[in-house]
Amino acid sequence: MSAATDRRPRRVAGVYRPPVNATRMPTPRPGPLAQLVRTANTLRAQIERDVLRDEGLTWTTYDVLVLVCARRAVETRTAAVEVGIAKATLTNALVSLVDRGLVRRQLQEDDRRRVVLRPTQGGMDLARRVQGRVEAEQARLFGEPGMPSGDSLARVLRTLATRSQRDSTTGEPGAAR
C-alpha cells in the first residue's frame, strides 16, 4: 500500500485527524418521539406554573387527585400504575394530599394489607375547580388555528401508549423494556 492510497487516520502530535475525503455522518437530530416528550415537558411545566402552583399542587399530586376523584375509590397500586409513577412517588404525593385533607387512606375490608384511596369533599371541590382551569388552558392552547382538537390528539397519544405497552409485553423487536 503506497502513501497515496493509505486511508488510515493520521495522527499529528497526538491529535486525531480524520481523512479529508471521508464521508461525513449526518448530524443527529431529535426524532418525533424526542420532540413529543420535550413538548409534553414544556406544557406540563407551564400548567404547573400557571395553574397548579396557585393551588399548592404539582402535576403528580393533581393527576393523583383527579384519578381518585374520578374513581371514588382506588387501590394505591392501581393508582400508581394508572398515573404512571413509582409507588414511592405516589406515597410522597399522598402525604401532601392526605395532610391537606383532600384524600383519605382506608384499609381494604377483605385484605387489611391493601390501602384504598377515597376523595374527601374538599378534594372533590378542589379537583373540579383546578380541572376547569386546566381545561381552559388546554382550550387556549388547542384553540389556535391549525391545531388539532385536544380529543384527536389525546386519541393518537392513547393509541401510541397502548401500542407501546402491548409491544413491551409481547417482547417484539423494538419493544420498550
Side-chain angles (χ1 to χ4, degrees), residues 65 68-70 72 102 119-129:
L65 179 62
V68 170
C69 290
R72 306 292 178 148
L102 303 173
T120 64
Q121 187 58 49
M124 293 290 285
D125 294 341
L126 179 63
R128 281 189 197 104
R129 186 173 65 246

Side-chain angles (χ1 to χ4, degrees), residues 75-93:
E75 282 189 32
T76 53
R77 65 181 179 176
T78 304
V81 169
E82 289 202 22
V83 174
I85 57 176
K87 285 187 242 175
T89 304
L90 176 67
T91 299
N92 291 337

